């Protein structure tokens, strides 16, 4: 049981390049989400999904796209990377969606992204 | 969204000392969680505690939902307790978690 797996662990991009951060979970969780962590700002929600085919914006969605074609996978796409997107990105999953019952979040190990 | 404030922002303890971390939130919640981020960046869930008190070894947490705060107690601290502690809240009306900015704890031997 691998839990939440994120790839890659590290990435360096040039301004304007595109890339996809991968996130997969093997716990059959409905709810998945992406956060970015910047110094002194805690974790901020980028996008989330309450189930396959359903996504919604979080607190800081600009510059990012997501899709959820399967229960297991929730990739995060940067279409045109900017230096302001330099951050550590975390994917998380939990068994239920929203406020319906327990919603303990399990986090991946993170992706450290630098945009030059 | 919910405003989540944590205090203190930084804490330095001698090994063996006790500490209390506080999390205030601005709206009613039905999901409040505490996390520990270790020095390698890994985030681990410590408690799911929308109300009441729970204990797990040297750690315990209390949430008073009616007064909109939660406390995390660390007793007999160890160097392995070092890291950043976050609380996160989910409002009664939404699907989004809001994190505080964390308390950075350093335990010195």
């Amino acid at each position: 049981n691998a839990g939440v797996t994120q790839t890659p662990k590290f990435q360096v991009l040039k301004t304007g390049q595109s890339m996809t951060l991968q996130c997969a979970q093997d716990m059959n969780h409905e709810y998945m989400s992406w956060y970015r962590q910047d110094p002194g700002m805690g974790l901020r929600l980028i996008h989330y999904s309450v189930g396959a085919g359903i996504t919604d914006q979080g607190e800081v969605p600009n510059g990012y796209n997501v899709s959820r074609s399967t229960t297991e996978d929730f990739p995060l796409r940067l279409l045109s990377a900017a230096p302001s997107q330099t951050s550590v990105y975390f994917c998380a999953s939990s068994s239920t969606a929203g406020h319906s019952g327990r919603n303990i979040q399990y986090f991946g190990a993170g992706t450290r992204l630098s945009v030059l | 969204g919910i405003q989540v404030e944590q205090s203190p922002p930084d804490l330095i303890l001698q090994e063996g000392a006790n500490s209390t971390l506080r999390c205030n939130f601005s709206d009613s919640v039905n999901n409040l969680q505490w996390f520990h981020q270790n020095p390698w960046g890994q985030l681990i869930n410590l408690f799911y505690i929308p109300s009441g008190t729970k204990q797990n070894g040297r750690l315990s947490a209390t949430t008073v939902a009616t007064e909109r705060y939660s406390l995390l107690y660390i007793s007999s601290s160890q160097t392995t307790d070092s890291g950043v502690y976050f609380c996160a809240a989910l409002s009664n009306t939404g699907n989004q978690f809001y994190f505080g900015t964390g308390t950075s704890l350093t335990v010195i031997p």
Side-chain angles (χ1 to χ4, degrees), chain B residues 71-87:
Chain B
L71 302 174
L72 178 68
Y73 305 97
I74 304 174
S75 65
S76 303
S77 59
Q78 300 176 357
T79 56
T80 53
D81 296 330
S82 295
V84 183
Y85 291 81
F86 292 101
C87 67

Side-chain angles (χ1 to χ4, degrees), chain A residues 31 35 37 98-99 103 105, chain B residues 30-31 33 37 90 95 97:
Chain A
Y31 186 89
Y35 295 87
Q37 183 176 23
H99 51 80
N103 192 1
Q105 292 201 86
Chain B
N30 67 355
N31 191 323
Q33 297 182 28
Q37 186 171 38
L90 183 75
N95 288 325
F97 272 95

Side-chain angles (χ1 to χ4, degrees), chain A residues 1-7 22-29 31-32 68 71-74 91-95 104-110, chain B residues 42-44:
Chain A
N1 192 341
V4 180
T5 302
Q6 286 184 239
T7 55
Q22 302 291 345
C23 176
Q25 51 90 10
D26 60 0
M27 298 174 281
N28 200 32
H29 284 172
Y31 186 89
M32 296 186 74
R68 184 97 180 269
T71 300
E72 295 78 19
D73 300 299
F74 190 45
C91 178
S93 74
S94 54
S95 58
I104 295 173
Q105 292 201 86
Y106 297 87
F107 281 84
Chain B
Q42 182 66 44
L43 282 152
I44 303 295

